[in-house]
Amino acid sequence: GECLLGAKGTAMFFVTSGQLTYVFGHGDTEQPPAEIGIKQWLSEASLWAMWEHHGRAVASSSSCDVAELSAVEFQGIVMRCTIFSQIQEYAQMWAKAASFESAGREHLSDAWGQRLRVSDLVQKVFNIQEDNEAQKLVRIMGGNEFNVERCFQAWVKFHKECKQERKEKANEEKKKMRRRRGSFSGPPGSKSSRSMHTSRSGRSGTSTKSDQDQECAQMNSSG
């Protein structure tokens, strides 16, 4: 089967086996073909807006199965859902992000918004506090639609940031250890410092008195 350029978008498509190759426009743009595999999808925009397909998708494997989610049926179900307001917010955020990151709706691909990008939007809408690797990678990639090269570059940057974070924590622990060791002798003017100073002063006074006694004894003997 084929998803036709310019046809009205009435459903979202999920690849359940095999693989699709999606080509934006007539294939004469800078956007490279996108390989859509199992657990990936096309045309999510059909669920949230009046949509026309902006490219063509054909099977690139010997066999390919695609599940179809009707936009009309989906909208009828979510309208009765208790989290309908959050779904509306997600739809608005999805449309805004997709248009902005594609430099306009006319440049928006049917393949935009795969797992990493959508995961980030869901986290924001539903206030999910856990920050996992998917969200970190999305932020590092700056919202760019991903391919193997971009994912690898994002992973390298993510790895460097984690290494730097561990280094900073280790340095902080070393600083704490030095502060704890320094607390045993006490800062200038502290009780322990004054005690040591007093002890040294006392020894110095005793030595001076002893010297004076020796001088007196010498004077008496000479007299």
Side-chain angles (χ1 to χ4, degrees):
E2 181 175 312
C3 179
L4 297 176
L5 174 67
K8 182 180 179 181
T10 59
M12 181 176 177
F13 303 98
F14 299 86
V15 176
T16 57
S17 68
Q19 185 169 278
L20 291 173
T21 297
Y22 173 83
V23 179
F24 180 80
H26 294 281
D28 53 356
T29 67
E30 295 181 357
Q31 292 194 29
E35 300 299 325
I36 310 299
I38 297 174
K39 295 184 179 181
Q40 291 183 295
W41 54 83
L42 286 172
S43 303
E44 183 180 351
S46 299
L47 303 182
W48 316 123
M50 300 294 292
W51 181 249
E52 289 184 355
H53 297 299
H54 287 178
R56 305 183 311 279
V58 296
S60 55
S61 57
S62 57
S63 63
C64 181
D65 293 321
V66 178
E68 178 179 321
L69 174 60
S70 168
V72 173
E73 293 183 15
F74 173 80
Q75 292 163 5
I77 293 172
V78 298
M79 285 180 66
R80 300 190 298 271
C81 184
T82 57
I83 57 171
F84 181 58
S85 60
Q86 287 96 325
I87 294 175
Q88 282 183 310
E89 183 180 354
Y90 170 84
Q92 294 169 358
M93 188 177 293
W94 190 97
K96 183 177 180 179
S99 179
F100 176 77
E101 295 175 12
S102 302
R105 176 169 175 160
E106 64 274 14
H107 302 294
L108 178 58
S109 164
D110 290 272
W112 190 90
Q114 294 298 325
R115 186 173 301 277
L116 292 178
R117 195 68 188 89
V118 167
S119 177
D120 183 52
L121 295 176
V122 169
Q123 183 195 37
K124 292 176 180 177
V125 172
F126 292 94
N127 296 318
I128 300 173
Q129 298 302 319
E130 294 183 5
D131 196 14
N132 56 41
E133 284 74 12
Q135 279 77 44
K136 291 178 181 177
L137 282 173
V138 168
R139 286 198 297 276
I140 291 170
M141 293 167 69
N144 293 321
E145 197 64 22
F146 67 89
N147 54 33
V148 173
E149 181 180 0
R150 283 176 176 161
C151 280
F152 177 74
Q153 292 173 349
W155 178 85
V156 170
K157 188 174 181 180
F158 172 64
H159 178 71
K160 288 181 178 178
E161 288 184 356
C162 289
K163 186 177 180 180
Q164 180 64 27
E165 184 178 349
R166 289 194 296 268
K167 184 178 179 181
E168 290 175 356
K169 287 182 178 179
N171 290 337
E172 186 62 28
E173 287 297 323
K174 289 180 181 178
K175 289 179 181 178
K176 290 180 180 179
M177 288 294 294
R178 285 197 292 267
R179 285 196 293 267
R180 284 197 291 266
R181 290 170 182 170
S183 65
F184 290 116
S185 60
S190 65
K191 184 176 180 181
S192 58
S193 178
R194 290 196 300 271
S195 175
M196 293 174 67
H197 178 71
T198 302
S199 177
R200 287 195 296 269
S201 298
R203 289 195 297 271
S204 175
T206 302
S207 176
T208 301
K209 185 177 180 180
S210 176
D211 292 340
Q212 291 175 351
D213 291 342
Q214 289 178 5
E215 289 177 0
C216 290
Q218 289 174 0
M219 290 174 65
N220 291 333
S221 62
S222 63

